[in-house]
Structure formats: structure tokens, C-alpha cells
Amino acid sequence: MIRVLVVDDDFMVARIHSGYVARVPGFRVVSVAHNGADALAAVAELRPELVLLDIYLPDMSGLEVLKALSDVDVLMISAARDVHTVREAMRGGAVNYLIKPFTAAALEERLRQYADTRRRLTAIGPEARQDDVDRLFGTPKSAAPMPKGLSAATGALVADALREAGRDLSATEAAELTGLSRVSARRYLEHLCAAGQAELRPRYGTAGRPEHRYRWLG
């Protein structure tokens, strides 16, 4: 469960944003603050994982609060749309920036992106490879050439099946969904991994070799 602190000077807006957060599975609002001092105190006491931080606060700028925070992630939420403010938020380490007014769907999308990044970091382990870092930072990756004997059309079929499954799949499950043989499905799944569009996730059982499962990354 990702614990969230909502910071906004407007009591009603803070309540609305808290309601938005509560709708997203895996997130829980632990407190609400209406000024910078209370926000800093709440972070020190409650140690949330994420702060939804407004910029226009009565006692100090949200950018000042951002610079004073450590060991917590911050998603800026503000009506400020000037480039200087956005740049300062990026320099301060904000994980995202959402311009008011926004919909519940817009916030949910960014919260899910944040949760997915946390999961990826956890799955990487103590050391990251360059391709791990590229995926985390959204670095474009050149397309891997299609191996000999594979077709782009069938590759798209396997990619669609993996994406629409909404969960990880084994080569056998992918084969059943696409009508391919298990060996063919595995080759296409491995190509998707090489292209950075999927990742291999071994599942360990009670005995024997781990089962290879594949998850869509996009």
C-alpha cells in the first residue's frame, strides 16, 4: 500500500483530490495539509511514500517545500503552467507534474505510472542494467531486428495477445491464445524482450527449473 499525503491550501480541493486517490487500488491517503509547514511536519511524522504537492501555499511556495523534502517522492499538482515553474519542479526532483484542473482519470494514470515504476525498481534487484534504467527513464530504444524465420504480422499478433492479457503469460499460454506452437510463441516472446517491449519474469516452484513468464512493457 502506497501512503499518500495531499497538500493543498483549498480545503475542498484537498478533499476532492483525496477522493481521487482513494479510488486507485494500492493507494491510501494518510493525511492532508493546507500549508508548507504542516506538510513538512506531516512528512517527518508519517513518512509517506508520495506527496501530492500544490505550489500556491499560504506560507511558502510548494517549490520551497519540494526542495526541503527528502526520502519521499513528490507529484506536483498546480495551476501554475509557466515553463520556469515546471523546470524548477523537475530540478527539485518531482516525479510528475499535473496541471489543475484535472480529472480523476488523469491523476489515476499518473499514480499507476508511479506504482509501476516502484514495482520495476523492486524487481530489478540491487544492481541495474542499462536496459533496466532505460525503461525506468523512458529512454527510446531502437527496434530490435526481426530474427530470421519470424514475421512482423505474427509478432504483432503475439504482442497484442500479451498486452491484452493484462498479466504475465507463459509461452504455452501465449501459444493457446494465438494458435501458434509453444516453440514459435516462445521465439516471438523472446524477440519482444529483446526489443524492450516485454520482460522475462521467472516463476519459481517447489522443485525443478523456474517457469519462464513474460509481461508486456509497451
Side-chain angles (χ1 to χ4, degrees):
M1 185 66 68
I2 296 174
R3 298 169 302 144
V4 181
L5 170 68
V6 176
V7 183
D8 199 291
D9 67 319
D10 189 309
F11 284 71
M12 183 57 66
V13 171
R15 177 180 295 181
I16 292 172
H17 292 171
S18 297
Y20 287 172
V21 174
R23 299 180 194 175
V24 184
F27 289 84
R28 178 170 63 92
V29 175
V30 294
S31 187
V32 175
H34 302 291
N35 59 61
D38 287 348
L40 293 172
V43 170
E45 177 184 357
L46 301 173
R47 298 294 181 186
E49 284 78 36
L50 180 66
V51 178
L52 302 191
L53 178 60
D54 190 14
I55 289 179
Y56 298 127
L57 300 174
D59 55 343
M60 65 178 77
S61 166
L63 293 174
E64 295 179 81
V65 176
L66 174 64
K67 293 176 182 178
L69 292 173
S70 60
D71 296 326
V72 63
D73 294 320
V74 178
L75 194 165
M76 304 301 296
I77 49 174
S78 178
R81 58 181 67 226
D82 60 284
V83 174
H84 172 75
T85 298
V86 175
R87 182 184 295 117
E88 288 302 303
M90 293 176 66
R91 287 175 175 171
V95 299
N96 214 318
Y97 193 109
L98 194 54
I99 296 175
K100 293 180 180 178
F102 51 82
T103 64
L107 179 58
E108 178 179 355
E109 178 184 8
R110 284 152 183 81
L111 292 178
R112 289 186 181 278
Q113 290 174 350
Y114 172 73
D116 185 58
T117 298
R118 285 176 59 91
R119 284 193 294 269
R120 292 188 189 186
L121 278 169
T122 301
I124 287 173
E127 292 187 354
R129 300 173 303 181
Q130 185 61 54
D131 58 340
D132 295 324
V133 176
D134 289 344
R135 284 195 292 270
L136 287 169
F137 282 85
T139 304
K141 186 171 182 177
S142 58
M146 186 69 73
K148 186 177 180 179
L150 301 187
S151 74
T154 305
L157 176 66
V158 175
D160 288 343
L162 187 60
R163 179 177 60 250
E164 294 171 5
R167 59 183 179 86
D168 57 17
L169 296 176
S170 66
T172 299
E173 291 169 332
E176 292 173 351
L177 290 172
T178 58
L180 300 172
S181 69
R182 185 187 64 81
V183 173
S184 294
R186 178 173 55 78
R187 291 189 65 197
Y188 282 103
L189 290 168
E190 290 174 349
H191 169 68
L192 291 174
C193 290
Q197 294 181 287
E199 67 175 354
L200 174 63
R201 310 182 79 182
R203 176 182 293 178
Y204 295 90
T206 55
R209 298 174 60 184
E211 179 186 26
H212 287 181
R213 301 191 67 82
Y214 302 84
R215 186 174 75 94
W216 176 256
L217 295 176

